[in-house]
Amino acid sequence: MSESESAPFFLCYVETTRRCNLACPYCMSRLPGPAPGPEMTTDELKHRVLDELALARPGAAVAFSGGEMLLRPDALELVRHAGDKGLAVFLNTNGIALTEEILPQLRDAAQGRLVVVLPFNSVEEDVQRWTRNDSAATVKSAAERCADAGVDYFFLVTVSSKSAPSLAETMNYLKRRQVPVLRAPFVPRGAGADHRDLLLTRELMKEFVHPALTANELAYISFTPFFASPEKLAEVWEQKGVRIEGIGCQAGRSFAAVSTEGDITPCVQLLDSEASCGNIRNARLSEVLDSHPVFTGLKSRDKLGGKCGRCRYKMSCGGCRALAHYVNGDIFAEDPTCFFEPEDETTVSPLEERQTAQTGKFLEFLKYNEPWNTLF
């Protein structure tokens, strides 16, 4: 087995541009003022990001994002370079520019290892239109074009106080169609800084968000709070041979991010924040991933504070680091949305048995379905 085949899953988000053909009200990458520097060039993206990622994490995945990445004239060139370096390609797009003509070109440039990521926040059309400044029909049509072109896709659901009440219905809709889901919590980044009322609360998490995600085993990546048995998870990793280090917060562990101007953070939600760990223009991405104190601290989780630091699920969950930063001002603080109150590391959540069983179903899906069994 090669090094890339045996290495745990790793995904680096790369925001390639702040330009977009939509104007979503809380867009993370749309800044209220001027950008802090010039957009990364083609050469910088190729050599300071993609080459460095392939060096540090062979066989990893790169998630090209924006803004709208397909507005860059070098989009195909960047996808081709990633494919040549052995990286899988996730393409985050709003779907508007994802035409029938470009899809096969993107697929071939990625050497067949292309997954499209489409934004779908709610089955309620008024919620989807407000949060995305667009109709759900756009992403549904884009998903159909992906299927016709033989390109895999999944949906990214940004969960906020506005979309939380309809999340169960949204999860049911996607589960019936066997569409994998990555949930992302709303954070007050970029244009979202004016919408702090959209932040999730502990009460919303307990009443709406957690039950909806728990019921859909295809939404189990980067899921917090997460209460599956750490001991049984370790056994299942071994039995299934699935290359993933955990289910909970992946910031700094299986995830990293690079901004349009080259700043490096442990999570895309933390771009444009004080959690920057350097810039590709004056630091090597490979070295930041392996040795920056924030990344090493997030991997070990020895620095987690509050109840996250004393929790039985510290390694398998870890709490959302982005929400800890935006609400508590400290990336290592406790997750402000967690409703579990552990006395110490022996306290067991009443949800442990169910989430452990659901995790087994999720790993079965990863193991026996393409392209996931080639990524994990």
Side-chain angles (χ1 to χ4, degrees):
M1 183 178 291
S2 70
E3 183 181 2
S4 63
E5 288 174 327
S6 60
F9 174 76
F10 190 89
L11 175 67
C12 183
Y13 283 86
V14 181
E15 291 193 347
T16 59
T17 184
R18 295 186 188 272
R19 289 169 289 155
C20 193
N21 43 15
L22 287 178
C24 303
Y26 59 68
C27 174
M28 291 196 304
S29 62
R30 190 175 77 248
L31 299 176
E39 192 174 90
M40 286 184 289
T41 66
T42 304
D43 281 348
E44 286 176 325
L45 280 160
K46 282 183 174 180
H47 305 305
R48 293 182 178 269
V49 178
L50 300 178
D51 290 1
E52 284 287 302
L53 177 60
L55 174 67
R57 301 290 186 272
V62 57
F64 290 117
S65 183
E68 175 53 58
M69 193 262 193
L70 293 178
L71 296 184
R72 283 190 67 119
D74 59 359
L76 274 172
E77 183 179 352
L78 293 172
V79 170
R80 185 173 295 107
H81 190 81
D84 289 344
K85 290 295 177 178
L87 301 171
V89 174
F90 288 17
L91 176 64
N92 291 52
T93 173
N94 58 38
I96 295 172
L98 194 68
T99 63
E100 293 178 356
E101 293 74 26
I102 195 69
L103 262 168
Q105 297 177 56
L106 290 165
R107 180 196 61 212
D108 295 344
Q111 301 183 18
R113 301 185 72 201
L114 173 68
V115 179
V116 171
V117 186
L118 297 165
F120 187 75
N121 294 341
S122 178
V123 291
E124 292 189 4
E125 182 63 22
D126 61 334
V127 176
Q128 175 72 9
R129 277 189 174 276
W130 187 86
T131 60
R132 294 294 312 164
N133 192 34
D134 194 19
S135 167
T138 299
V139 293
K140 290 177 181 178
S141 296
E144 291 175 1
R145 292 195 294 276
C146 288
D148 291 342
V151 172
D152 293 288
Y153 65 92
F154 67 87
F155 281 3
L156 175 67
V157 177
T158 299
V159 186
S160 67
S161 63
K162 191 171 184 69
S163 64
S166 62
L167 186 61
E169 189 179 354
T170 302
M171 287 294 108
N172 288 336
Y173 172 86
L174 297 175
K175 184 177 180 179
R176 287 195 301 269
R177 288 157 179 79
Q178 288 290 285
V179 178
V181 181
L182 176 63
R183 82 91 181 93
F186 164 82
V187 296
R189 175 195 160 206
D194 293 331
H195 296 277
R196 291 189 69 91
D197 58 302
L198 294 177
L199 278 164
L200 291 174
T201 63
R202 191 171 305 177
E203 293 74 24
L204 285 170
M205 177 63 71
K206 184 175 183 179
E207 182 178 359
F208 297 113
V209 179
H210 203 269
L213 294 176
T214 296
N216 184 0
E217 65 273 11
L218 299 187
Y220 267 45
I221 282 288
S222 191
F223 179 179
T224 59
F226 188 73
F227 307 118
S229 164
E231 299 83 5
K232 291 184 179 178
L233 281 183
E235 294 175 8
V236 174
W237 302 151
E238 186 69 26
Q239 293 170 0
K240 304 295 184 185
V242 175
R243 299 181 295 123
I244 186 171
E245 292 184 335
I247 297 291
C249 181
Q250 300 299 310
R253 306 186 84 205
S254 297
F255 287 175
V258 180
S259 77
T260 304
E261 297 79 30
D263 280 341
I264 305 164
T265 64
C267 170
V268 65
Q269 262 81 5
L270 290 166
L271 292 175
D272 302 320
S273 79
E274 298 84 356
S276 175
C277 298
N279 189 287
I280 60 101
R281 287 171 171 148
N282 50 43
R284 294 190 63 178
L285 176 61
S286 57
E287 293 178 357
V288 171
L289 296 180
D290 287 333
S291 60
H292 192 280
V294 170
F295 276 83
T296 58
L298 290 172
K299 289 171 188 172
S300 69
R301 293 188 171 167
D302 291 339
K303 298 180 180 180
L304 294 188
K307 60 185 179 183
C308 286
R310 64 176 184 269
C311 185
R312 163 174 168 76
Y313 310 101
K314 177 170 70 173
M315 297 306 294
S316 53
C317 170
C320 179
R321 298 299 94 214
L323 289 174
H325 169 79
Y326 285 106
V327 175
N328 301 317
D330 180 0
I331 195 173
F332 293 106
E334 69 180 32
D335 183 341
T337 67
C338 183
F339 49 86
F340 181 49
E341 297 294 341
E343 293 183 11
D344 53 37
E345 292 191 6
T346 66
T347 309
V348 177
S349 166
L351 294 168
E352 180 175 300
E353 183 175 354
R354 186 180 184 206
Q355 288 209 292
T356 302
Q358 287 287 83
T359 302
K361 295 179 183 178
F362 170 63
L363 295 178
E364 288 285 325
F365 175 83
L366 293 183
K367 186 175 179 65
Y368 295 112
N369 289 274
E370 294 183 349
W372 318 112
N373 54 7
T374 66
L375 294 169
F376 293 91

